[in-house]
Amino acid sequence: MSSVQTAEDNNPRKYQLLIDGQWVDAESGKTFTTPNPATGETLAEVAEADKADIDKAVAAARRAYEGKWSKLSARDRGRLLYKLSQLLEEHSAELAAIETADNGKPIKESSYVDLPQVVENFEYFAGWATKIEGETIPVPGRMFNYTLREPIGVCGQIIPWNFPLLMAAWKLAPALAAGNTVVLKPAEQTPVGAMELGKLILEAGFPEGVVNIVPGYGETAGASLAAHPGIDKVAFTGSTEVGKLIAKAAAENLTKVSLELGGKAPNIVFADSDLDQAVAGAMMGIFYNQGQVCCAGSRLFVEEKVKDEFVSRLSEKADKIAVGDPMNKATQMGPQVSEEQLNRIKGYVDIAKSEGATVITGGESPKLDGEFQNGYFFRPTIFGDVKNKMRVAQEEIFGPVVSVISFTDEDDLIKQANDTIYGLSAGIWTRDITRAHRFAKEIKAGVVWINTYNMFNAASPFGGYKQSGYGREMGRHALDLYTQIKSVWVDLSGRPIGWFGK
Ligand code: ADP
């Protein structure tokens, strides 16, 4: 019998909260439903956590942190994480189908990108558990000074809906490797993957209370987790707007915070680039995951002399993108995650038009038949005649909408590329290596892709400059977010301190 519920059986699915190793109803008895965005039909009914449940989960995480979890060796923590990565790999096919049903992303993406990366992250951080070390410091005198790198404690983790399982992996894996315990709140739009992950966490054998999963709404469950005096750290991925609320709530208790927020990435095409590569890269930059990517290349700067050719090739390809049933292996774009997001995108299309931008292609929902006519689909959309100052080029849309901005001068281009409140990522397409590295140095962003886009690996850090947040996830730097340093001094002289005289 599989421990993961397949996408087909028991529709709608039912889930409880995972607190202290038990599946329990919410204290209020309330539940909420989440739709399949491809059809609008109910996918799951989920217990709705609120403050009382968050209190219980935080208390359980504290007991686990001070009890069983702290007694486990680093090796055993690593083994549990590795076991979890193996269970995830074993159940990848069912989990990919669940992720697609919950979020709407094409099955090809969830199968070949999301799930493999989820597995990779747990595997990578499993290896780190035994390698988190302190250091000895060469202090003067007959003193011995060393550091201990200790876990922070109970971590509240709040994640978004665009890569539901992957965001859970980015958050849980380093936190657990470093010896913390966790209260995880999935997004209300996509709680299902996290609940299935909870089953595998129990099956792997993590002690009760080490991972608690509390689905619920942002303003209730999320807000009470961020403001909770019982947590030592809050980690958040989501919008810059909500990131500010989280930082404010955390400031009340001086809870440590890490934030991975929005973006409005410049993706820059020089005339000397391989245009086939650059067109494919621009598509990957904006249409991947229906454009619901914080590092999406949503500002496409194209050198004036190749702009017309580039845009015509891009729009021809964009029109051929297969939009439809995300469970179909040939589909390249599924629905947006929710009706709210679909309406937000439509709103930005109106804003762009009113600002003087022109629709080159898309700008509306496609006409789909049968059960998909009620899905939240939107066509790949390209705007021309955009100026960097326009709202469509400054505000994060989080949909398949790209703004083409032409440029002639490199210095002015850098200024424009950096003229944004965000600084998460950037892309550049050129054959001139000095220009590529000059750009990498001058752009104010946490990740730069040269002649590629949307590349990730569990070993490579990811995070933002400016209002795209603070802290780096993945790679060894993620451990800095989940550990704190203790400095220990030892007097080796065996004599009293001479300061106040004999
Ligand atoms: P989006 O606007 O794209 O839905 P959000 O930033 O609102 O993204 O949501 C990301 C996560 O933050 C979700 O888990 C959501 O429930 C949570 N969230 C939303 N509002 C708050 C809040 N005020 N406090 C804490 N968490 C919140």
Side-chain angles (χ1 to χ4, degrees):
M1 247 287 280
S2 165
S3 47
V4 168
Q5 192 179 339
T6 59
E8 294 80 37
D9 60 310
N10 190 17
N11 230 346
R13 302 146 163 274
K14 286 196 190 317
Y15 294 98
Q16 293 171 292
L17 313 176
L18 177 59
I19 298 181
D20 212 8
Q22 306 292 322
W23 294 103
V24 293
D25 288 332
E27 287 287 301
S28 65
K30 282 201 219 161
T31 60
F32 67 102
T33 58
T34 171
N36 177 335
T39 60
E41 275 161 28
T42 299
L43 174 71
E45 183 184 348
V46 185
E48 183 191 328
D50 202 342
K51 185 172 182 315
D53 311 289
I54 299 293
D55 286 346
K56 269 170 64 182
V58 170
R62 176 66 57 195
R63 280 194 302 278
Y65 180 68
E66 280 162 13
K68 282 189 189 158
W69 192 233
S70 63
K71 310 236 165 20
L72 224 58
S73 67
R75 182 182 180 204
D76 284 341
R77 286 202 312 273
R79 285 166 73 107
L80 281 170
L81 282 164
Y82 191 67
K83 178 85 199 293
L84 179 58
S85 76
Q86 288 179 311
L87 287 171
L88 284 159
E89 193 160 34
E90 238 169 76
H91 293 289
S92 296
E94 301 109 280
L95 290 167
I98 284 165
E99 203 71 333
T100 287
D102 203 11
N103 165 280
K105 64 179 65 210
I107 189 72
K108 198 168 136 195
E109 289 178 16
S110 45
S111 305
Y112 296 111
V113 182
D114 293 61
L115 262 297
Q117 288 193 17
V118 168
V119 172
E120 179 191 272
N121 270 272
F122 281 108
E123 219 176 80
Y124 172 82
F125 282 104
W128 265 115
T130 47
K131 294 159 200 75
I132 299 170
E133 300 167 339
E135 60 233 316
T136 57
I137 320 285
V139 291
R142 296 183 72 181
M143 288 283 167
F144 173 40
N145 179 227
Y146 66 95
T147 61
L148 294 173
R149 191 175 264 269
E150 298 182 341
I152 292 180
V154 175
C155 302
Q157 301 186 321
I158 301 173
I159 56 172
W161 44 258
N162 56 345
F163 294 89
L165 268 173
L166 187 55
M167 292 301 103
W170 281 22
K171 296 270 178 292
L172 288 171
L176 298 172
N180 301 276
T181 59
V182 174
V183 177
L184 176 78
K185 194 203 82 67
E188 55 271 37
Q189 296 86 348
T190 55
V192 178
M195 307 324 290
E196 295 293 344
L197 173 64
K199 292 182 190 169
L200 297 183
I201 285 171
L202 295 184
E203 190 177 331
F206 283 84
E208 68 273 7
V210 171
V211 180
N212 305 274
I213 306 180
V214 284
Y217 290 98
E219 306 76 49
T220 51
S224 45
L225 183 55
H228 206 292
I231 61 168
D232 302 298
K233 181 206 162 66
V234 59
F236 170 77
T237 297
S239 60
T240 292
E241 191 188 342
V242 174
K244 290 179 185 174
L245 295 176
I246 303 246
K248 278 185 200 149
E252 196 56 41
N253 307 306
L254 290 178
T255 307
K256 292 176 174 55
V257 186
S258 53
L259 302 170
E260 200 262 272
L261 308 175
K264 195 77 193 178
N267 194 8
I268 294 162
V269 180
F270 277 93
D272 72 347
S273 63
D274 176 328
L275 284 197
D276 287 337
Q277 248 192 3
V279 168
M283 307 262 292
M284 167 54 124
I286 192 63
F287 301 131
Y288 187 75
N289 205 33
Q290 293 71 242
Q292 302 166 144
V293 184
C294 46
C295 52
S298 49
R299 287 185 297 150
L300 186 59
F301 288 92
V302 184
E303 195 168 353
E304 178 60 39
K305 54 185 161 190
V306 290
K307 193 195 76 186
D308 289 346
E309 184 192 346
F310 186 87
V311 168
S312 94
R313 282 161 77 168
L314 182 70
S315 63
E316 197 181 310
K317 279 198 179 286
D319 282 342
K320 291 201 185 116
I321 290 179
V323 183
D325 177 6
M327 288 293 183
N328 182 335
K329 287 195 180 103
T331 294
Q332 294 167 298
M333 265 178 59
Q336 307 308 126
V337 76
S338 65
E339 195 169 10
E340 189 186 344
Q341 283 301 315
L342 179 65
N343 290 335
R344 181 184 157 87
I345 294 164
K346 288 179 176 165
Y348 271 105
V349 168
D350 293 340
I351 290 170
K353 286 181 187 160
S354 72
E355 288 179 305
T358 48
V359 179
I360 294 171
T361 189
E364 59 188 8
S365 289
K367 309 265 171 298
L368 296 176
D369 297 331
E371 57 180 325
F372 302 114
Q373 59 193 336
N374 296 325
Y376 315 132
F377 295 88
F378 201 73
R379 283 181 55 198
T381 298
I382 304 172
F383 271 106
D385 299 319
V386 178
K387 298 275 171 283
N388 193 52
K389 289 276 178 224
M390 292 180 181
R391 282 183 66 191
V392 68
Q394 288 292 322
E395 297 176 19
E396 188 176 42
I397 300 173
F398 231 62
V401 180
V402 69
S403 296
V404 179
I405 306 168
S406 68
F407 71 91
T408 48
D409 171 74
E410 188 180 321
D411 288 340
D412 179 53
L413 163 78
I414 299 278
K415 274 198 203 101
Q416 290 199 66
N418 279 330
D419 182 15
T420 162
I421 60 165
Y422 297 111
L424 191 53
S425 59
I428 181 166
W429 303 84
T430 178
R431 287 185 167 112
D432 179 339
I433 60 162
T434 53
R435 174 152 65 199
H437 291 288
R438 197 159 59 232
F439 173 78
K441 192 157 189 292
E442 287 176 15
I443 194 77
K444 293 184 171 49
V447 187
V448 179
W449 288 297
I450 299 174
N451 293 336
T452 186
Y453 210 91
N454 275 348
M455 287 297 131
F456 291 91
N457 186 275
S460 181
F462 183 82
Y465 279 36
K466 300 197 272 182
Q467 292 195 31
S468 290
Y470 32 81
R472 293 292 176 271
E473 298 191 283
M474 297 196 290
R476 64 170 65 226
H477 303 281
L479 298 166
D480 295 339
L481 303 181
Y482 291 101
T483 53
Q484 53 194 340
I485 308 283
K486 184 181 279 173
S487 176
V488 184
W489 290 80
V490 188
D491 188 329
L492 300 179
S493 74
R495 290 195 299 269
I497 299 178
W499 195 257
F500 291 106
K502 303 249 159 47

